[in-house]
Amino acid sequence: MVIYHLALSVFSVNDTGAQSMKEAVLHIKSEKRMHILRVQSSALMAIHSYMHKHGVVQSMPIILSPETDPLNHPHFDASVEYYGQRLHLTKSMILHKQLSLLNDGIDKIYFMSPNVRLEDGKLKETGRHLFEFSQVDIEFKDKTKKDFIRFTDGMIASIYKFVMRKCADDLKALDRTLKVPKLPLKVYESEDLRKELGEDFEKLVSHRAEDPFWIMNFRREFYDREDKERRGYYHNYDIFWPEGYGEALSGGEREWEHKEIVRKMAERKTNMKAFDTYLQVSSQGLIPRTVGGGLGIERMVRYLTGQKHIRDVTLFPRVPGERIIF
Ligand code: ASP
Ligand code: MG
C-alpha cells in the first residue's frame, strides 16, 4: 500500500513532467511506478537468464572514454576534460563491444549500459526519448545477422513469457494485456516498405503490427556493414515494438576492414582524429568480425507496461529539453 503524504489534487504529474520538487517526489511515490519497476525487474531477469543460458557473458559498462559512438544524428557534445584528456560520456558501447571481443576466449558479450545522448528538446514530444537511458548492448563474434535474429527472437519471446508469468498482477493494475509473439518475428526490407507506405513506414507498420518485427537496411553510422557488391545496402536492422510504440533495438553486422571504415567515416564527414585509437586498431586488422545490437530498456518497459510517455517508466526522468528536478 502506497501512502501519499502530499496533496495529489494540487499537482498533475504524470503526463506533463515534474515542475517542482513536490511533483518530482509524487512522481517517485506513485503506485504506478512500483508496478512499472516490477515489470522492468522481471524483464531484466528474463534477459539475464536468457543470456546465461546461451553462454553470453556480461561485462560492466564504462561511462567516460576518449572515443565513443559518433551517432549519425544531431546532438550536443557531452564530455569533460580530465588530466589533459577529453573524455566523452558513453553514447553507446558499440566500439567497446567490438574491442571486448578481441579476447580469444569471449565470443558473445553483453552490457547493460547507461547512454547519454543530449538530443534536441523537440524530441520531448515523441514520448520515446530520454537523453539519459539504458540499453542491453549485445555483440557476437564470427556470426551473421541471421544468427543474431534467431537469438534475439528467442530473447524477446522469453521476456514476454517471464513478465506475463511473474507480473500478472502488475499488468492488471496497469490495465495492460500482452500476448506472446509468434516466432519467427516478421522481417521486412526498408526498401519495400518505403515503396509501399512512403517515408513514414516505421510508424505505420508499428501501428498496424500485433507483434514486434524487424526492418532491414538503414543508412547509419560508419560501423554498420555496407554490402561491397551492392553499395547503399546495409546489413543492419531495427526491431520495432507493435501498437505504435516504435523502435526497440538497432544493430547490424559490422565493418572490420580498415579501408571500409575510413571510406565510410569520410563519407559521413566524421572527424577521424576523434577515432584515432580505434583507427589504429583497425589499421592493424584487429577489429573482430561481429554482429550485434542495442535494445533500449526504458522503451521496452514503456511498451510492456503500455505507457504513453517514457518519462513514466523512470523514477528520475531525463526528457530532452525538460528541467531536471532530481
Ligand atoms: N548503434 C546502436 C545504438 O544505437 C547499437 C548497436 O548498433 O549495437 O546504440
Ligand atoms: Mg536506433
Side-chain angles (χ1 to χ4, degrees), residues 117 220 238 247 249-250 299:
R117 300 183 184 181
R220 280 201 292 248
D238 270 7
E247 186 183 339
L249 168 148
S250 299
R299 286 179 173 183

mmCIF file with all atom_site columns, all heavy atoms in Angstrom, residues 117 220 238 247 249-250 299, ligand 2:
data_model
loop_
_atom_site.group_PDB
_atom_site.id
_atom_site.type_symbol
_atom_site.label_atom_id
_atom_site.label_alt_id
_atom_site.label_comp_id
_atom_site.label_asym_id
_atom_site.label_entity_id
_atom_site.label_seq_id
_atom_site.pdbx_PDB_ins_code
_atom_site.Cartn_x
_atom_site.Cartn_y
_atom_site.Cartn_z
_atom_site.occupancy
_atom_site.B_iso_or_equiv
_atom_site.pdbx_formal_charge
_atom_site.auth_seq_id
_atom_site.auth_comp_id
_atom_site.auth_asym_id
_atom_site.auth_atom_id
_atom_site.pdbx_PDB_model_num
ATOM   1  N  N   . ARG A 1 117 ? 22.764 10.820 -24.480 1.00 0.00 ? 117 ARG A N   1
ATOM   2  C  CA  . ARG A 1 117 ? 22.628 11.424 -25.817 1.00 0.00 ? 117 ARG A CA  1
ATOM   3  C  C   . ARG A 1 117 ? 21.848 12.714 -25.651 1.00 0.00 ? 117 ARG A C   1
ATOM   4  O  O   . ARG A 1 117 ? 20.629 12.679 -25.489 1.00 0.00 ? 117 ARG A O   1
ATOM   5  C  CB  . ARG A 1 117 ? 21.882 10.471 -26.764 1.00 0.00 ? 117 ARG A CB  1
ATOM   6  C  CG  . ARG A 1 117 ? 22.610 9.140  -26.939 1.00 0.00 ? 117 ARG A CG  1
ATOM   7  C  CD  . ARG A 1 117 ? 21.899 8.247  -27.936 1.00 0.00 ? 117 ARG A CD  1
ATOM   8  N  NE  . ARG A 1 117 ? 22.572 6.959  -28.006 1.00 0.00 ? 117 ARG A NE  1
ATOM   9  C  CZ  . ARG A 1 117 ? 22.207 5.955  -28.799 1.00 0.00 ? 117 ARG A CZ  1
ATOM   10 N  NH1 . ARG A 1 117 ? 21.165 6.101  -29.596 1.00 0.00 ? 117 ARG A NH1 1
ATOM   11 N  NH2 . ARG A 1 117 ? 22.871 4.820  -28.804 1.00 0.00 ? 117 ARG A NH2 1
ATOM   12 N  N   . ARG A 1 220 ? 23.262 4.250  -41.718 1.00 0.00 ? 220 ARG A N   1
ATOM   13 C  CA  . ARG A 1 220 ? 23.569 4.776  -40.378 1.00 0.00 ? 220 ARG A CA  1
ATOM   14 C  C   . ARG A 1 220 ? 25.058 5.001  -40.186 1.00 0.00 ? 220 ARG A C   1
ATOM   15 O  O   . ARG A 1 220 ? 25.760 5.321  -41.127 1.00 0.00 ? 220 ARG A O   1
ATOM   16 C  CB  . ARG A 1 220 ? 23.025 3.805  -39.322 1.00 0.00 ? 220 ARG A CB  1
ATOM   17 C  CG  . ARG A 1 220 ? 21.541 3.964  -39.088 1.00 0.00 ? 220 ARG A CG  1
ATOM   18 C  CD  . ARG A 1 220 ? 21.137 3.401  -37.739 1.00 0.00 ? 220 ARG A CD  1
ATOM   19 N  NE  . ARG A 1 220 ? 21.266 1.968  -37.662 1.00 0.00 ? 220 ARG A NE  1
ATOM   20 C  CZ  . ARG A 1 220 ? 20.240 1.109  -37.558 1.00 0.00 ? 220 ARG A CZ  1
ATOM   21 N  NH1 . ARG A 1 220 ? 19.017 1.560  -37.531 1.00 0.00 ? 220 ARG A NH1 1
ATOM   22 N  NH2 . ARG A 1 220 ? 20.462 -0.188 -37.470 1.00 0.00 ? 220 ARG A NH2 1
ATOM   23 N  N   . ASP A 1 238 ? 16.616 -2.749 -37.457 1.00 0.00 ? 238 ASP A N   1
ATOM   24 C  CA  . ASP A 1 238 ? 15.978 -2.311 -36.215 1.00 0.00 ? 238 ASP A CA  1
ATOM   25 C  C   . ASP A 1 238 ? 14.906 -3.333 -35.885 1.00 0.00 ? 238 ASP A C   1
ATOM   26 O  O   . ASP A 1 238 ? 14.359 -3.966 -36.790 1.00 0.00 ? 238 ASP A O   1
ATOM   27 C  CB  . ASP A 1 238 ? 15.272 -0.958 -36.403 1.00 0.00 ? 238 ASP A CB  1
ATOM   28 C  CG  . ASP A 1 238 ? 16.189 0.234  -36.113 1.00 0.00 ? 238 ASP A CG  1
ATOM   29 O  OD1 . ASP A 1 238 ? 17.398 0.025  -35.894 1.00 0.00 ? 238 ASP A OD1 1
ATOM   30 O  OD2 . ASP A 1 238 ? 15.676 1.357  -36.116 1.00 0.00 ? 238 ASP A OD2 1
ATOM   31 N  N   . GLU A 1 247 ? 10.565 2.119  -32.235 1.00 0.00 ? 247 GLU A N   1
ATOM   32 C  CA  . GLU A 1 247 ? 11.873 1.462  -32.195 1.00 0.00 ? 247 GLU A CA  1
ATOM   33 C  C   . GLU A 1 247 ? 12.192 0.773  -30.866 1.00 0.00 ? 247 GLU A C   1
ATOM   34 O  O   . GLU A 1 247 ? 12.014 1.337  -29.794 1.00 0.00 ? 247 GLU A O   1
ATOM   35 C  CB  . GLU A 1 247 ? 12.932 2.521  -32.499 1.00 0.00 ? 247 GLU A CB  1
ATOM   36 C  CG  . GLU A 1 247 ? 14.323 1.970  -32.640 1.00 0.00 ? 247 GLU A CG  1
ATOM   37 C  CD  . GLU A 1 247 ? 15.359 3.067  -32.868 1.00 0.00 ? 247 GLU A CD  1
ATOM   38 O  OE1 . GLU A 1 247 ? 14.977 4.168  -33.301 1.00 0.00 ? 247 GLU A OE1 1
ATOM   39 O  OE2 . GLU A 1 247 ? 16.533 2.807  -32.596 1.00 0.00 ? 247 GLU A OE2 1
ATOM   40 N  N   . LEU A 1 249 ? 15.187 -1.807 -30.911 1.00 0.00 ? 249 LEU A N   1
ATOM   41 C  CA  . LEU A 1 249 ? 16.607 -2.193 -30.971 1.00 0.00 ? 249 LEU A CA  1
ATOM   42 C  C   . LEU A 1 249 ? 17.193 -1.716 -32.295 1.00 0.00 ? 249 LEU A C   1
ATOM   43 O  O   . LEU A 1 249 ? 16.488 -1.694 -33.302 1.00 0.00 ? 249 LEU A O   1
ATOM   44 C  CB  . LEU A 1 249 ? 16.722 -3.727 -30.871 1.00 0.00 ? 249 LEU A CB  1
ATOM   45 C  CG  . LEU A 1 249 ? 18.052 -4.418 -31.183 1.00 0.00 ? 249 LEU A CG  1
ATOM   46 C  CD1 . LEU A 1 249 ? 18.222 -5.672 -30.320 1.00 0.00 ? 249 LEU A CD1 1
ATOM   47 C  CD2 . LEU A 1 249 ? 18.203 -4.799 -32.657 1.00 0.00 ? 249 LEU A CD2 1
ATOM   48 N  N   . SER A 1 250 ? 18.462 -1.318 -32.265 1.00 0.00 ? 250 SER A N   1
ATOM   49 C  CA  . SER A 1 250 ? 19.203 -1.080 -33.511 1.00 0.00 ? 250 SER A CA  1
ATOM   50 C  C   . SER A 1 250 ? 20.469 -1.919 -33.474 1.00 0.00 ? 250 SER A C   1
ATOM   51 O  O   . SER A 1 250 ? 21.051 -2.108 -32.404 1.00 0.00 ? 250 SER A O   1
ATOM   52 C  CB  . SER A 1 250 ? 19.657 0.378  -33.651 1.00 0.00 ? 250 SER A CB  1
ATOM   53 O  OG  . SER A 1 250 ? 18.575 1.246  -33.680 1.00 0.00 ? 250 SER A OG  1
ATOM   54 N  N   . ARG A 1 299 ? 12.444 1.929  -23.315 1.00 0.00 ? 299 ARG A N   1
ATOM   55 C  CA  . ARG A 1 299 ? 11.450 1.787  -24.390 1.00 0.00 ? 299 ARG A CA  1
ATOM   56 C  C   . ARG A 1 299 ? 10.740 0.442  -24.296 1.00 0.00 ? 299 ARG A C   1
ATOM   57 O  O   . ARG A 1 299 ? 9.541  0.335  -24.546 1.00 0.00 ? 299 ARG A O   1
ATOM   58 C  CB  . ARG A 1 299 ? 12.124 1.944  -25.759 1.00 0.00 ? 299 ARG A CB  1
ATOM   59 C  CG  . ARG A 1 299 ? 12.480 3.379  -26.044 1.00 0.00 ? 299 ARG A CG  1
ATOM   60 C  CD  . ARG A 1 299 ? 13.159 3.543  -27.386 1.00 0.00 ? 299 ARG A CD  1
ATOM   61 N  NE  . ARG A 1 299 ? 13.337 4.951  -27.695 1.00 0.00 ? 299 ARG A NE  1
ATOM   62 C  CZ  . ARG A 1 299 ? 13.852 5.407  -28.832 1.00 0.00 ? 299 ARG A CZ  1
ATOM   63 N  NH1 . ARG A 1 299 ? 14.243 4.551  -29.770 1.00 0.00 ? 299 ARG A NH1 1
ATOM   64 N  NH2 . ARG A 1 299 ? 13.974 6.699  -29.033 1.00 0.00 ? 299 ARG A NH2 1
HETATM 65 MG MG  . MG  B 2 .   ? 18.458 3.281  -33.135 1.00 0.00 ? 2   MG  B MG  1
#
